[in-house]
Amino acid sequence: MGDIKVLISKETLEERIKEMSEQIEKDYEGKDIVLIGILKGSVMFMTELAKNIKNDIALDFMDVSSYEGTESTGRIKINKDIRDSIEGKDVIIVEDIVDTGRTLTYLKEYLKQKKAKSVKIATMLSKPSRRVVEIDADYLGFEIEDKFVVGYGLDYNEKYRNLPYIGYIE
Ligand code: IMP
Ligand code: MG
């Protein structure tokens, strides 16, 4: 394992997350929001995002894993589901990074089936060049090139989640 190089500094990242919070606040004026964080990678992004939104917010979490396969849809396994009903609620899925797009495509449909009033996506990062399934985030922090990134929640074999910036492995 080589050195970690900084791709996005803490300051740049947190300034952008603040802008995302402001945008969400505008778009959801007068509405309550349910943020659903996808464990574990989204945790730091989610807390930063939530702290800067003044709406009434409920937090819930899901844990999912994807099976690598040849099917274009992929297969997603739910290890932990949301705790509370989202029927009639305005939901924002909070994700660390969109890679192939399989996880979010599945989750968006899954949460719609639970009769949410609306389901939007906020992701800290996106690697558009890796997309297998077409999915657009409603709120996107940064588009990055096809590098394996760590930090600010993102891991490599459970390591580096606590780095306060986004780095990549050389
Ligand atoms: P996908 O969009 O369904 O392919 O899945 C995205 C998930 O893969 C993310 O939630 C991450 O957990 C993981 N992932 C994708 N790219 C990276 C990366 O560069 N670093 C760390 N985790 C990644
Ligand atoms: Mg993830």
Side-chain angles (χ1 to χ4, degrees), residues 9-85:
S9 73
K10 179 177 192 286
E11 291 69 30
T12 306
L13 195 57
E14 289 179 356
E15 204 170 294
R16 179 74 190 116
I17 298 173
K18 204 166 209 167
E19 288 174 2
M20 295 171 81
S21 300
E22 283 164 10
Q23 190 59 54
I24 289 171
E25 218 177 84
K26 265 190 205 140
D27 295 351
Y28 288 82
E29 205 188 321
K31 293 179 178 170
D32 297 350
I33 307 169
V34 182
L35 295 183
I36 299 182
I38 310 309
L39 296 170
K40 307 170 195 167
S42 72
V43 165
M44 300 204 186
F45 169 51
M46 188 185 194
T47 54
E48 199 59 30
L49 191 71
K51 277 189 285 182
N52 289 306
I53 301 173
K54 288 178 208 77
N55 303 49
D56 281 336
I57 286 181
L59 303 182
D60 212 333
F61 297 91
M62 288 184 79
D63 178 27
V64 298
S65 30
S66 52
Y67 301 96
E68 284 300 307
T70 46
E71 325 150 60
S72 64
T73 50
R75 283 199 302 143
I76 306 293
K77 181 179 163 226
I78 297 175
N79 305 312
K80 186 221 170 296
D81 207 340
I82 49 170
R83 200 192 66 173
D84 303 315
S85 166

Side-chain angles (χ1 to χ4, degrees), residues 38-42 64 95-97 103 154-155 161:
I38 310 309
L39 296 170
K40 307 170 195 167
S42 72
V64 298
E95 178 61 303
D96 49 5
I97 187 165
T103 306
L154 288 151
D155 75 306
R161 291 194 196 275

Side-chain angles (χ1 to χ4, degrees), residues 38-42 64 66 68 76 95-105 125 127 130-132 135 144-151 153-156 161 167:
I38 310 309
L39 296 170
K40 307 170 195 167
S42 72
V64 298
S66 52
E68 284 300 307
I76 306 293
E95 178 61 303
D96 49 5
I97 187 165
V98 192
D99 190 33
T100 64
R102 283 176 175 139
T103 306
L104 281 175
T105 302
L125 304 173
K127 287 187 211 173
R130 292 261 309 160
R131 211 71 91 242
V132 172
I135 181 115
I144 60 168
E145 50 183 303
D146 186 10
K147 278 185 159 71
F148 193 84
V149 288
V150 294
L154 288 151
D155 75 306
Y156 175 74
R161 291 194 196 275

